Amino acid sequence: MSVTLLIEFLYAGDLSTVYELSAVLMHHGSSAYSGHYVAHIRDNKELVAKDNSVFEAWTREMDAIKESMITEGKMNQAEIRSIYEMLPAATTDYAEWVSTDWLRKWLSDKYKATPPIDNSSLLCCHGRLSPEKYQYSKRISCKAADVLYTKYGGVPRLQRDSMCRECVQRKCRSIQFRLRLNEDDKAIKALNKPSHKISTTSSFNRLQELSFLIFIEIQDCSLQCIIDHKVYGK
């Protein structure tokens, strides 16, 4: 609606009608497709300016923060990938042990900040690496361990001499004891197993019976062949 038509509409009726201004919207720019808007809105009898350039500035700030987070995330992923490639340790190389539970946290995206390395769950009552909890640890190269401990810190650091000798000896004795129990159990079962010996005479008689039956079957087969030849010409 043009300004002229608007004026005509407003004053078409009673000229004594009074209108109260609630808001004014102004556009700044060369066309309707560019520039920005400024609104003056009445609030408690005062016109308050609302400039969308403030919103645009906030939008640009949010975009910058988002871009920064994406860049930081990509850098972290690249760093984790490079360390992950260092983890495998050759069989002949010195290595260290790290809790697999902590490694899962390190590789997970749930944690905004990776906690320090915690290997306390792998320790025995003597404060050393327990052979019973060895399966909950990961053997990694010393190079990767240096990088991880430098970046994240943590204790204790389980190196090649951290395995508890006392616990290993006790576990070996336990394994040897179980093996002896299994051998004794097999020996006892063998002694209690009933024997099934067959006498020589009964074996010979049984062999004769089988031989006679085989002979009868051969005779029957030969007789049947003669009958077929004479009767059917086969």
Side-chain angles (χ1 to χ4, degrees):
M1 182 181 293
S2 64
V3 177
T4 304
L5 293 176
L6 179 60
I7 293 174
E8 293 178 357
F9 173 78
L10 293 176
Y11 293 100
D14 188 1
L15 297 179
S16 62
T17 302
V18 178
Y19 294 90
E20 183 178 356
L21 183 64
S22 298
V24 177
L25 180 64
M26 295 181 292
H27 174 261
H28 299 272
S30 58
S31 68
Y33 301 101
S34 62
H36 68 277
Y37 291 89
V38 177
H40 296 270
I41 303 173
R42 182 178 295 280
D43 185 13
N44 295 328
K45 298 183 179 181
E46 293 184 0
L47 291 177
V48 180
K50 301 292 184 180
D51 193 341
N52 75 331
S53 60
V54 177
F55 175 77
E56 292 174 355
W58 177 82
T59 303
R60 288 192 295 270
E61 182 181 356
M62 292 297 102
D63 290 341
I65 293 175
K66 181 179 179 180
E67 186 66 25
S68 176
M69 292 177 63
I70 293 174
T71 303
E72 183 179 358
K74 290 181 178 179
M75 292 176 61
N76 289 337
Q77 289 180 354
E79 182 182 19
I80 290 175
R81 190 180 299 109
S82 63
I83 299 175
Y84 185 81
E85 293 174 353
M86 298 180 194
L87 290 181
T91 307
T92 56
D93 293 343
Y94 291 145
E96 298 189 25
W97 286 266
V98 176
S99 169
T100 52
D101 182 59
W102 182 86
L103 287 175
R104 280 192 291 267
K105 293 179 181 179
W106 173 59
L107 294 172
S108 176
D109 295 332
K110 296 180 181 179
Y111 300 90
K112 295 182 179 179
T114 303
I117 300 173
D118 184 10
N119 292 323
S120 58
S121 60
L122 304 177
L123 302 181
C124 65
C125 59
H126 307 106
R128 304 185 69 81
L129 179 60
S130 172
E132 300 290 345
K133 301 176 182 178
Y134 178 77
Q135 65 270 27
Y136 303 112
S137 65
K138 173 70 175 178
R139 184 176 181 269
I140 65 174
S141 65
C142 293
K143 182 179 180 181
D146 290 338
V147 175
L148 290 175
Y149 279 99
T150 300
K151 183 174 179 60
Y152 302 105
V155 289
R157 190 162 178 171
L158 302 177
Q159 299 174 326
R160 63 189 183 94
D161 57 347
S162 298
M163 186 70 71
C164 182
R165 182 180 295 272
E166 295 181 35
C167 291
V168 170
Q169 292 175 347
R170 183 174 58 188
K171 186 174 180 64
C172 290
R173 287 194 297 268
S174 176
I175 293 174
Q176 292 173 353
F177 179 71
R178 286 199 299 268
L179 291 175
R180 286 198 298 268
L181 283 179
N182 291 334
E183 292 175 358
D184 293 343
D185 183 63
K186 291 179 181 178
I188 293 173
K189 288 181 179 179
L191 291 174
N192 293 331
K193 188 175 182 181
S195 59
H196 298 282
K197 295 182 179 180
I198 302 176
S199 63
T200 305
T201 304
S202 60
S203 299
F204 179 76
N205 293 336
R206 180 59 179 164
L207 181 60
Q208 283 185 328
E209 292 177 1
L210 291 174
S211 300
F212 178 75
L213 291 175
I214 293 172
F215 175 76
I216 294 299
E217 289 179 0
I218 293 174
Q219 292 296 325
D220 290 342
C221 183
S222 300
L223 180 61
Q224 186 65 40
C225 289
I226 294 172
I227 293 173
D228 290 341
H229 178 71
K230 289 184 177 181
V231 175
Y232 301 103
K234 294 182 180 180

